[in-house]
């Protein structure tokens, strides 16, 4: 196996995170018509509940090419990786906001689950999977990946 074909723990972390994102995305889309009303119920009023619902679904969808390691241009994969971080950031903000109401927004309006520390801990686990899966790409974006000398 070449290094490009090698399956690593980072690949496993990306695939596991992709599975979670796909489940969240499908459940949010299943009852998307009620999702903005649910966001309004946690205090996100007016048009902002619609903007947040649409933005969350779009960035979750855009994150999938990076997480599923599709063979696309490097620039698009970088946008996809950043979308994954933005999706987790939006989810985290909404979930922390919903924490005070005792409601969870992770699964949209499909499952009306009570919020609590479990949802915050799940998001923390998703953030760790994202960081683990994106570590090498983030380093290369920041210019930290120096090619090693064959003699060292």
């Amino acid at each position: 196996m070449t290094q490009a074909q090698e399956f690593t723990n980072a690949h496993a972390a990306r695939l596991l995170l992709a599975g979670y994102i796909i489940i969240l995305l499908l459940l949010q889309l299943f009852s998307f018509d009620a999702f903005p009303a649910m966001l309004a119920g946690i205090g996100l009023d007016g048009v902002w509940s619609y903007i947040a619902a649409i933005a969350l679904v779009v960035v979750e969808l855009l994150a999938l090419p990076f997480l599923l390691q599709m063979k696309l241009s490097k620039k698009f994969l970088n946008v996809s990786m950043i979308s994954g971080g933005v999706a987790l950031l939006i989810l985290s903000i909404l979930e922390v906001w919903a924490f005070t109401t005792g409601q969870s927004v992770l699964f949209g309006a499909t499952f009306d689950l009570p919020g609590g520390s479990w949802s915050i801990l799940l998001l923390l686990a998703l953030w760790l999977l994202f960081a683990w899966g994106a570590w090498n790409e983030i380093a290369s974006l920041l210019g930290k990946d120096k090619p090693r000398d064959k003699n060292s």
Side-chain angles (χ1 to χ4, degrees), residues 15-29:
L15 288 176
L16 186 58
L17 181 58
Y20 277 111
I21 294 288
I22 288 171
I23 290 169
L24 294 176
L25 180 62
L26 289 175
L27 290 174
Q28 289 163 0
L29 286 174

Side-chain angles (χ1 to χ4, degrees), residues 23-42:
I23 290 169
L24 294 176
L25 180 62
L26 289 175
L27 290 174
Q28 289 163 0
L29 286 174
F30 188 70
S31 58
F32 189 75
D33 54 337
F35 193 33
M38 180 183 200
L39 293 177
I42 66 166

Side-chain angles (χ1 to χ4, degrees), residues 6-8 10-15 63-72 77 133 137:
E6 185 177 315
F7 189 77
T8 64
H11 294 121
R14 281 189 196 179
L15 288 176
L64 291 178
F66 169 75
L67 296 173
L68 295 174
Q69 301 166 354
M70 295 178 167
K71 294 193 185 303
L72 299 169
L77 288 177
E137 281 71 15

Side-chain angles (χ1 to χ4, degrees), residues 29 40-41 58-60 88 101 115 138:
L29 286 174
V58 168
V59 293
E60 284 175 340
L88 288 175
T101 64
I138 292 172

Side-chain angles (χ1 to χ4, degrees), residues 5-119:
Q5 296 170 337
E6 185 177 315
F7 189 77
T8 64
N9 290 338
H11 294 121
R14 281 189 196 179
L15 288 176
L16 186 58
L17 181 58
Y20 277 111
I21 294 288
I22 288 171
I23 290 169
L24 294 176
L25 180 62
L26 289 175
L27 290 174
Q28 289 163 0
L29 286 174
F30 188 70
S31 58
F32 189 75
D33 54 337
F35 193 33
M38 180 183 200
L39 293 177
I42 66 166
L44 198 61
D45 291 329
V47 73
W48 291 108
S49 61
Y50 289 95
I51 291 172
I54 292 169
L56 179 60
V57 167
V58 168
V59 293
E60 284 175 340
L61 186 62
L62 280 174
L64 291 178
F66 169 75
L67 296 173
L68 295 174
Q69 301 166 354
M70 295 178 167
K71 294 193 185 303
L72 299 169
S73 74
K74 184 72 173 164
K75 288 182 182 180
F76 186 77
L77 288 177
N78 288 340
V79 168
S80 180
M81 178 183 64
I82 292 168
S83 295
V86 171
L88 288 175
L89 181 65
I90 293 172
L91 271 174
S92 299
I93 291 170
L94 290 175
E95 195 60 35
V96 167
W97 198 339
F99 187 79
T100 60
T101 64
Q103 202 174 3
S104 176
V105 298
L106 288 178
F107 303 108
T110 304
F111 294 131
D112 190 15
L113 297 175
S117 4
W118 72 269
S119 59

